[in-house]
């Protein structure tokens, strides 16, 4: 895996998710053509690129890590904030320069920006050949072939059923230790600031048996960790009717009762005690005690919950259409602490300067942070997205300077809290899974503890993919440092 800008040793700065991207790794299986994919945005997008690579592999493409070698370049894009789209626009200009010298090159825009802008993208970016939304990736080989014959194409059909359950992803994002498994697609929540329901369509859950099979295959290949992905994993639901549909589609699904997220988590945890299970993202309105108790029952389900609050003020939460208030959120956190204890990592997403947010409402976000003591947060200032409920109903009336200042206060608060939480780990022994070499020095390895914190340890005789017990000796606000004790 080649990570260009992303560095998990460093805490996310302003709009970290927008400037983070990953490129495909080199794969030589003797196929005649080369595909280069650059992926922006969230883990769902990174996971989708693995599905895209798999579909293209079936049609004669190996992946490459250098776009100079590629016959086809795909940008898998994100629309979550304006800045994310601007980054992609700039990158397209660079690729267009390449295409001037190589007119046979096919350039495709995939993902959320493709879905949001559709045909308009072909008009605005003259050298783009194909525009394909997140539910239409099976159509890519055909569209690329047409583009090779000089015919541009768009497919932004959003499906109510597509989950790509039968496709084995090419593990582009993986270090051979941990892998993503998509368990659902789309989102029905309609948070007023958010473009995702428009770019990813209706929520649908993937057949649980295909999820378990994917986890089993990963274990057989030596993987040690899976992250179950969805915009709102707690609303995962697989019903017998859908099951019957899957049986008709020959997905080899046994008859079953309704499978909810807690059930699914348990099914995946039972695949192997040596397989760590993580998941993201949990929605505060939906996370149940049943999920928390399931986490508690299985040692191999990591004690870490990404529970984005967005704002600490109930009026703003209502305008955001998050469907919970401050009290509800705090009660959920109290329940997490009661069932899973202080050790459970909790992280969040925060939006500064949402429409009409007053100074005292902003202070509520800071006090919420103090009360929860997040280990980690992704922090943004509000960026109005065309077509969303907020864009239609509310004025984007907080001056940019104010948004940035409030964001800075949130970031500073988080840095203090991260340091405080990390210091609590000093002196403790923890099991970590070694994931790779530290970016700062080849003599050190990095792993993560159950709470999703990065731990740096001296290399010694340790290998990637190994579980070790370490004693935490020191920390910064972003990282723990440890020595191996077992
Ligand atoms: N499904 C997840 C969020 C996915 S988007 C959830 O509900 O928590 C990731 C994060 O981007 C969001 O949590 C939010 O903090 C941020 N975000 C989304 N839309 C945004 C916007 N218009 N402006 C700024 N940040 C936004
Ligand atoms: Fe967006 Fe809300 Fe869905 Fe998350 S839950 S993807 S913030 S609409
Ligand atoms: Fe971005 Fe789409 Fe993910 S908008 S955050 S890539 S779902």
């Amino acid at each position: 895996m080649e990570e260009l800008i992303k560095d998990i040793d460093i805490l996310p700065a302003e709009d970290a998710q927008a400037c983070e991207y990953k490129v495909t790794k080199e794969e030589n299986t003797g196929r005649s053509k080369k595909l280069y994919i650059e992926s922006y945005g969230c883990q769902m997008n990174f996971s989708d690129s693995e599905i895209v690579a798999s579909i293209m592999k079936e049609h004669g493409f190996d992946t490459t890590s250098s776009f100079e070698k590629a016959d086809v370049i795909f940008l898998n894009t994100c629309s979550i904030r304006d800045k994310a789209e601007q980054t992609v626009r700039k990158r397209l200009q660079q690729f267009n320069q390449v295409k001037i010298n190589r007119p046979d090159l096919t350039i495709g825009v995939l993902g959320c920006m493709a879905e949001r802008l559709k045909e308009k993208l072909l008009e605005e970016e003259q050298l783009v050949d194909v525009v394909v939304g997140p539910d239409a990736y099976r159509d890519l080989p055909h569209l690329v072939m047409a583009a090779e014959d000089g015919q541009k194409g768009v497919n932004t059909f959003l499906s109510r059923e597509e989950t790509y359950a039968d496709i084995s992803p090419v593990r582009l994002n993986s270090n051979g230790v941990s892998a993503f498994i998509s368990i659902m697609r789309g989102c029905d929540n309609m948070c007023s600031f958010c473009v995702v329901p428009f770019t990813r369509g209706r929520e649908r859950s993937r057949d649980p048996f295909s999820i378990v099979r994917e986890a089993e295959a990963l274990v057989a290949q030596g993987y040690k960790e899976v992250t179950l992905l969805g915009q709102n994993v707690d609303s995962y639901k697989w019903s017998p009717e859908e099951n019957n549909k899957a049986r008709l589609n020959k997905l080899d699904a046994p008859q079953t009762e309704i499978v909810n997220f807690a059930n699914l988590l348990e099914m995946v945890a039972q695949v192997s005690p040596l397989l760590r299970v993580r998941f993201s993202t949990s929605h505060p309105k939906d996370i149940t005690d049943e999920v928390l108790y399931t986490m508690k029952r299985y040692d191999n389900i990591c004690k870490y919950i990404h529970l984005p609050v967005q704002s600490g003020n109930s009026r703003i939460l209502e305008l955001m259409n998050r469907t919970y208030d401050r009290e509800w959120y705090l009660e959920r956190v109290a329940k997490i602490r009661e069932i899973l204890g202080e050790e459970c990592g909790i992280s969040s997403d925060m939006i500064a300067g949402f429409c009409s947010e007053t100074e005292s409402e902003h202070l509520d976000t800071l006090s919420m942070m103090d009360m929860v003591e997040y280990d980690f947060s992704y922090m943004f200032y509000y960026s109005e997205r065309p077509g969303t409920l907020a864009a239609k109903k509310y004025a984007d009336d907080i001056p940019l300077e104010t948004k940035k200042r409030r964001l800075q206060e949130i970031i500073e608060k988080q840095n203090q809290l991260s340091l405080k939480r990390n210091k609590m780990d000093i002196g403790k022994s923890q099991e970590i899974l070694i994931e790779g070499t530290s970016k700062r020095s080849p003599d050190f390895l990095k792993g993560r503890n159950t709470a999703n914190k990065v731990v740096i340890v001296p290399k010694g005789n340790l290998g990637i993919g190994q579980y070790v017990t370490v004693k935490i000796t020191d920390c910064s606000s972003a990282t723990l440092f440890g020595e191996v004790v077992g």
Side-chain angles (χ1 to χ4, degrees):
M1 176 177 63
E2 190 174 344
E3 287 175 301
L4 289 183
I5 298 177
K6 189 184 176 210
D7 182 346
I8 53 171
D9 289 358
I10 296 172
L11 261 186
E14 173 190 333
D15 250 5
Q17 286 188 338
C19 63
E20 176 185 308
Y21 70 96
K22 290 186 177 175
V23 304
T24 43
K25 65 177 179 191
E26 200 74 27
E27 247 218 338
N28 284 309
T29 62
R31 285 166 169 77
S32 61
K33 292 186 191 164
K34 290 275 182 198
L35 166 69
Y36 172 87
I37 313 182
E38 214 165 84
S39 315
Y40 294 78
C42 62
Q43 293 170 328
M44 298 285 302
N45 246 20
F46 299 150
S47 165
D48 277 4
S49 290
E50 300 185 329
I51 289 165
V52 168
S54 175
I55 291 170
M56 295 299 284
K57 197 171 177 176
E58 293 295 309
H59 290 81
F61 284 83
D62 272 337
T63 52
T64 173
S65 58
S66 55
F67 64 80
E68 293 90 350
K69 289 195 224 154
D71 301 288
V72 173
I73 292 179
F74 286 154
L75 291 189
N76 194 359
T77 61
C78 174
S79 287
I80 200 85
R81 285 167 290 276
D82 184 54
K83 215 165 161 185
E85 291 201 353
Q86 294 314 326
T87 311
V88 167
R89 297 271 192 189
K90 281 196 205 113
R91 195 65 175 146
L92 274 175
Q93 280 166 16
Q94 290 165 359
F95 286 138
N96 287 345
Q97 287 303 316
V98 181
K99 189 159 174 179
I100 289 168
N101 300 322
R102 287 189 43 207
D104 57 321
L105 181 67
T106 300
I107 297 185
V109 177
L110 320 183
C112 292
M113 223 174 134
E115 191 63 51
R116 194 176 84 74
L117 295 165
K118 304 186 168 59
E119 288 79 9
K120 242 170 62 191
L121 206 50
L122 282 187
E123 290 155 27
E124 289 168 8
E125 303 287 345
Q126 294 285 321
L127 291 176
V128 170
D129 302 293
V130 293
V131 174
V132 185
D135 286 346
Y137 294 148
R138 289 182 202 265
D139 201 19
L140 274 169
H142 152 252
L143 289 168
V144 165
M145 256 166 56
E148 283 166 355
D149 292 336
Q151 204 188 328
K152 296 194 176 206
V154 178
N155 188 344
T156 51
F157 174 73
L158 281 177
S159 160
R160 278 173 173 262
E161 276 118 39
E162 180 64 272
T163 59
Y164 301 109
D166 56 319
I167 292 181
S168 303
V170 174
R171 302 287 167 190
L172 302 173
N173 301 307
S174 177
N175 44 13
V177 179
S178 51
F180 297 132
I181 303 184
S182 273
I183 61 163
M184 58 204 297
R185 299 183 70 82
C187 184
D188 283 350
N189 281 324
M190 293 307 241
C191 301
S192 65
F193 53 79
C194 186
V195 78
V196 172
F198 303 95
T199 62
R200 297 234 155 211
R202 299 302 299 270
E203 188 174 285
R204 67 221 96 118
S205 299
R206 178 179 163 189
D207 158 29
F209 306 100
S210 76
I211 296 170
V212 167
R213 275 201 303 273
E214 192 171 329
E216 285 167 349
L218 286 164
V219 169
Q221 290 164 40
Y223 282 82
K224 298 284 166 50
E225 181 178 277
V226 293
T227 304
L228 308 179
L229 293 180
Q231 291 298 354
N232 176 4
V233 290
D234 299 286
S235 70
Y236 177 92
K237 188 164 154 246
W238 175 259
S239 63
E241 299 89 73
E242 281 163 294
N243 190 16
N244 284 334
K245 220 161 46 194
R247 284 151 71 89
L248 292 176
N249 289 334
K250 300 191 176 42
L251 272 177
D252 184 29
Q255 197 67 38
T256 180
E257 296 300 306
I258 285 178
V259 178
N260 66 16
F261 182 60
N263 307 142
L264 178 73
L265 204 50
E266 178 150 39
M267 287 163 74
V268 178
Q270 285 173 348
V271 166
S272 162
L274 290 178
L275 182 71
R276 271 185 170 185
V277 185
R278 297 186 184 277
F279 54 88
S280 186
T281 298
S282 303
H283 195 299
K285 80 175 159 71
D286 291 321
I287 189 165
T288 59
D289 295 355
E290 191 188 359
V291 166
L292 301 177
Y293 284 117
T294 307
M295 289 174 76
K296 188 183 168 80
R297 266 203 314 282
Y298 288 87
D299 282 345
N300 60 328
I301 303 180
C302 289
K303 307 300 179 276
Y304 165 65
I305 301 174
H306 184 53
L307 195 69
V309 69
Q310 315 296 0
S311 163
N313 176 268
S314 295
R315 188 188 75 91
I316 294 293
L317 286 170
E318 184 161 359
L319 292 186
M320 287 177 163
N321 199 26
R322 289 291 286 183
T323 67
Y324 55 83
D325 59 12
R326 183 179 170 97
E327 284 65 40
W328 171 277
Y329 187 92
L330 287 170
E331 187 280 330
R332 288 288 79 202
V333 170
K335 211 58 184 179
I336 292 169
R337 293 281 172 244
E338 178 193 318
I339 297 171
L340 297 169
E342 275 302 315
E343 268 74 39
C344 182
I346 304 181
S347 62
S348 187
D349 295 347
M350 242 77 72
I351 299 179
F354 186 67
C355 312
S356 79
E357 184 188 66
T358 65
E359 207 54 36
S360 86
E361 288 166 341
H362 161 63
L363 293 180
D364 283 346
T365 298
L366 295 178
S367 76
M368 172 68 105
M369 293 172 75
D370 272 329
M371 289 177 83
V372 181
E373 298 197 335
Y374 294 111
D375 293 271
F376 183 86
S377 289
Y378 291 97
M379 299 156 282
F380 316 98
Y381 62 77
Y382 174 58
S383 164
E384 185 178 86
R385 308 311 292 131
T388 54
L389 291 178
K392 287 184 191 148
K393 277 168 72 179
Y394 313 123
D396 179 13
D397 55 358
I398 306 301
L400 186 60
E401 283 317 301
T402 310
K403 285 181 183 174
K404 285 188 171 171
R405 195 247 312 143
R406 288 181 188 168
L407 175 62
Q408 198 48 43
E409 289 171 12
I410 289 173
I411 291 173
E412 275 160 25
K413 169 73 68 193
Q414 184 56 58
N415 286 344
Q416 290 160 13
L417 291 172
S418 297
L419 186 62
K420 181 174 176 193
R421 288 280 301 173
N422 284 353
K423 277 185 176 163
M424 283 167 55
D425 284 342
I426 292 178
K428 290 190 183 150
S429 289
Q430 304 180 335
E431 183 179 70
I432 67 167
L433 173 62
I434 304 287
E435 290 175 7
T437 307
S438 163
K439 294 225 165 79
R440 307 225 173 97
S441 159
D443 299 331
F444 289 83
L445 296 175
K446 70 173 178 207
R448 271 184 299 159
N449 68 11
T450 185
N452 207 32
K453 289 184 190 171
V454 174
V455 185
I456 305 290
V457 289
K459 192 167 178 188
N461 296 323
L462 298 176
I464 292 168
Q466 207 177 323
Y467 286 107
V468 282
T469 305
V470 299
K471 189 169 164 204
I472 305 302
T473 52
D474 199 1
C475 73
S476 68
S477 62
T479 316
L480 301 174
F481 302 92
E483 59 192 33
V484 178
V485 292

